[in-house]
Coordinates of all heavy atoms in Angstrom, one line a residue:
T1 N 114.8 109.7 104.9 CA 116.2 109.3 105.1 C 116.3 107.8 105.2 O 117.4 107.3 104.7 CB 116.6 109.9 106.4 OG1 116.4 111.3 106.5 CG2 118.0 109.4 106.9
F2 N 115.4 107.1 105.7 CA 115.4 105.6 105.8 C 114.9 104.9 104.7 O 114.8 103.7 104.7 CB 114.7 105.2 107.2 CG 115.2 106.0 108.4 CD1 114.5 107.0 109.0 CD2 116.5 105.8 108.8 CE1 114.8 107.8 110.0 CE2 116.9 106.5 110.0 CZ 116.1 107.4 110.6
H3 N 114.7 105.6 103.6 CA 114.2 105.0 102.3 C 115.1 105.6 101.2 O 114.5 106.4 100.4 CB 112.8 105.1 102.2 CG 112.0 104.4 103.2 ND1 111.5 103.2 103.1 CD2 111.6 105.0 104.3 CE1 110.8 102.9 104.2 NE2 110.9 103.9 105.1
P4 N 116.4 105.4 101.2 CA 117.2 106.2 100.3 C 116.8 105.9 98.8 O 116.4 104.9 98.4 CB 118.7 105.7 100.5 CG 118.5 104.4 101.4 CD 117.1 104.6 102.2
R5 N 117.0 107.2 98.1 CA 116.6 107.1 96.7 C 117.4 106.1 95.9 O 118.5 105.9 96.1 CB 116.8 108.6 96.1 CG 116.4 108.8 94.8 CD 116.6 110.2 94.3 NE 117.9 110.6 94.5 CZ 118.4 111.8 94.3 NH1 117.5 112.8 94.0 NH2 119.6 112.3 94.5
G6 N 116.7 105.4 95.0 CA 117.3 104.4 94.2 C 117.3 103.1 94.8 O 117.8 102.1 94.1
Y7 N 116.9 102.9 96.0 CA 116.8 101.5 96.6 C 115.4 101.1 96.9 O 114.6 101.8 97.2 CB 117.6 101.5 97.9 CG 119.1 101.6 97.7 CD1 119.8 102.8 98.0 CD2 119.8 100.5 97.4 CE1 121.1 103.0 97.9 CE2 121.2 100.5 97.3 CZ 121.8 101.7 97.5 OH 123.1 101.8 97.3
H8 N 115.2 99.7 96.8 CA 113.9 99.1 97.4 C 114.3 98.8 98.8 O 115.3 98.0 99.0 CB 113.5 97.8 96.6 CG 113.2 98.2 95.2 ND1 112.0 98.5 94.8 CD2 114.0 98.4 94.1 CE1 111.8 98.8 93.5 NE2 113.0 98.6 93.1
C9 N 113.6 99.2 99.8 CA 114.1 99.1 101.3 C 113.0 98.1 101.9 O 111.9 98.3 101.9 CB 114.0 100.4 101.9 SG 115.1 101.6 101.2
H10 N 113.7 97.1 102.6 CA 112.9 96.1 103.3 C 113.4 96.0 104.7 O 114.7 95.7 104.9 CB 113.2 94.8 102.6 CG 112.9 94.8 101.0 ND1 111.7 94.7 100.4 CD2 113.8 94.9 100.0 CE1 111.8 94.9 99.2 NE2 113.1 95.0 98.9
Y11 N 112.5 96.1 105.6 CA 112.8 96.1 107.2 C 112.1 94.9 107.8 O 111.0 94.6 107.4 CB 112.4 97.4 107.8 CG 113.3 98.6 107.4 CD1 112.8 99.6 106.5 CD2 114.5 98.9 108.2 CE1 113.6 100.7 106.1 CE2 115.2 99.9 107.8 CZ 114.8 100.9 106.8 OH 115.6 101.9 106.6
F12 N 112.8 94.3 108.7 CA 112.2 93.3 109.5 C 112.5 93.6 111.0 O 113.7 93.7 111.5 CB 112.9 91.9 109.1 CG 112.3 90.8 109.9 CD1 111.0 90.7 110.4 CD2 113.1 89.6 110.2 CE1 110.5 89.6 111.1 CE2 112.7 88.5 110.8 CZ 111.3 88.5 111.3
D13 N 111.4 93.9 111.8 CA 111.6 94.5 113.1 C 111.4 93.4 114.1 O 110.5 92.6 114.0 CB 110.6 95.5 113.3 CG 110.7 96.7 112.2 OD1 111.8 96.9 111.7 OD2 109.6 97.3 112.0
A14 N 112.2 93.5 115.2 CA 111.9 92.6 116.3 C 110.6 93.1 117.1 O 110.2 94.3 117.1 CB 113.1 92.8 117.4
Q15 N 110.0 92.1 117.8 CA 108.8 92.4 118.5 C 109.1 93.4 119.7 O 108.3 94.3 120.0 CB 108.2 91.1 119.1 CG 107.6 90.2 118.0 CD 107.0 89.0 118.5 OE1 106.9 88.7 119.7 NE2 106.6 88.1 117.6
K16 N 110.3 93.2 120.4 CA 110.7 94.0 121.3 C 111.2 95.4 120.8 O 112.1 95.5 119.8 CB 111.9 93.3 122.2 CG 112.4 94.1 123.4 CD 113.5 93.4 124.1 CE 114.1 94.1 125.1 NZ 115.2 93.4 125.8
K17 N 110.6 96.6 121.3 CA 111.1 97.8 120.8 C 112.4 98.1 121.1 O 112.9 97.9 122.1 CB 110.1 98.9 121.3 CG 108.6 98.7 120.7 CD 107.7 99.9 121.4 CE 106.3 99.7 120.8 NZ 105.5 100.8 121.3
G18 N 113.1 98.7 120.2 CA 114.5 99.2 120.4 C 115.6 98.0 120.4 O 116.6 98.3 121.0
Y19 N 115.2 97.0 119.8 CA 116.0 95.8 120.0 C 116.2 95.2 118.6 O 115.2 95.1 117.8 CB 115.3 94.8 120.9 CG 116.1 93.5 121.1 CD1 117.2 93.5 121.9 CD2 115.8 92.3 120.6 CE1 117.9 92.3 122.2 CE2 116.4 91.1 120.8 CZ 117.4 91.1 121.6 OH 118.1 89.9 121.9
S20 N 117.5 94.8 118.3 CA 117.8 93.9 117.1 C 117.2 94.5 115.8 O 117.3 95.7 115.6 CB 117.2 92.4 117.4 OG 117.7 91.5 116.4
G21 N 116.8 93.6 114.8 CA 116.1 94.1 113.6 C 117.2 94.1 112.5 O 118.3 94.4 112.7
V22 N 116.7 93.7 111.3 CA 117.6 93.7 110.1 C 116.9 94.3 109.0 O 115.7 94.6 109.0 CB 118.0 92.2 109.7 CG1 118.9 91.7 110.8 CG2 116.7 91.4 109.7
A23 N 117.8 94.8 108.0 CA 117.1 95.5 106.7 C 118.0 95.1 105.6 O 119.1 94.7 105.6 CB 117.1 96.9 107.0
L24 N 117.3 95.2 104.4 CA 118.0 95.2 103.1 C 117.5 96.2 102.2 O 116.4 96.6 102.1 CB 117.6 93.8 102.4 CG 118.2 92.5 102.8 CD1 117.4 91.3 102.1 CD2 119.7 92.5 102.3
Y25 N 118.6 96.8 101.6 CA 118.3 97.9 100.5 C 118.9 97.3 99.2 O 120.0 96.8 99.2 CB 119.1 99.2 100.7 CG 118.7 99.9 102.1 CD1 119.5 100.9 102.5 CD2 117.5 99.6 102.8 CE1 119.3 101.5 103.7 CE2 117.4 100.3 104.0 CZ 118.1 101.2 104.4 OH 118.0 101.9 105.6
T26 N 118.0 97.3 98.2 CA 118.4 96.7 96.9 C 118.1 97.6 95.8 O 117.0 98.1 95.7 CB 117.7 95.2 96.7 OG1 116.4 95.5 96.6 CG2 118.1 94.4 97.9
R27 N 119.0 97.7 94.7 CA 118.8 98.5 93.6 C 117.7 98.0 92.8 O 116.9 98.8 92.3 CB 120.1 98.5 92.7 CG 121.1 99.3 93.4 CD 121.0 100.8 93.4 NE 122.1 101.6 93.8 CZ 122.1 102.9 94.2 NH1 121.1 103.5 94.0 NH2 123.2 103.5 94.5
Q28 N 117.6 96.7 92.7 CA 116.6 96.0 92.0 C 115.5 95.3 92.8 O 115.9 94.8 94.0 CB 117.2 95.0 91.1 CG 116.1 94.2 90.2 CD 116.8 93.1 89.3 OE1 117.6 93.5 88.6 NE2 116.3 91.9 89.3
A29 N 114.3 95.4 92.5 CA 113.3 94.7 93.3 C 113.5 93.2 93.4 O 113.7 92.7 92.2 CB 111.9 95.1 92.8
P30 N 113.6 92.6 94.5 CA 113.7 91.1 94.4 C 112.6 90.3 93.9 O 111.5 90.8 93.9 CB 114.0 90.8 96.0 CG 113.3 91.8 96.6 CD 113.5 93.1 95.9

């Protein structure tokens, strides 16, 4: 679910669990 078909998925997680965090899904690999 968290790696949708057709996208390159990139996650950046906060050290604190359950907090903040950003992500990028891109059709083309950067």
Side-chain angles (χ1 to χ4, degrees):
T1 299
F2 305 106
H3 300 267
R5 184 175 56 186
Y7 288 103
H8 299 268
C9 300
H10 311 279
Y11 289 98
F12 180 29
D13 304 335
Q15 292 178 8
K16 181 180 177 181
K17 292 183 178 179
Y19 181 75
S20 191
V22 289
L24 277 171
Y25 303 161
T26 65
R27 291 286 187 190
Q28 179 178 309

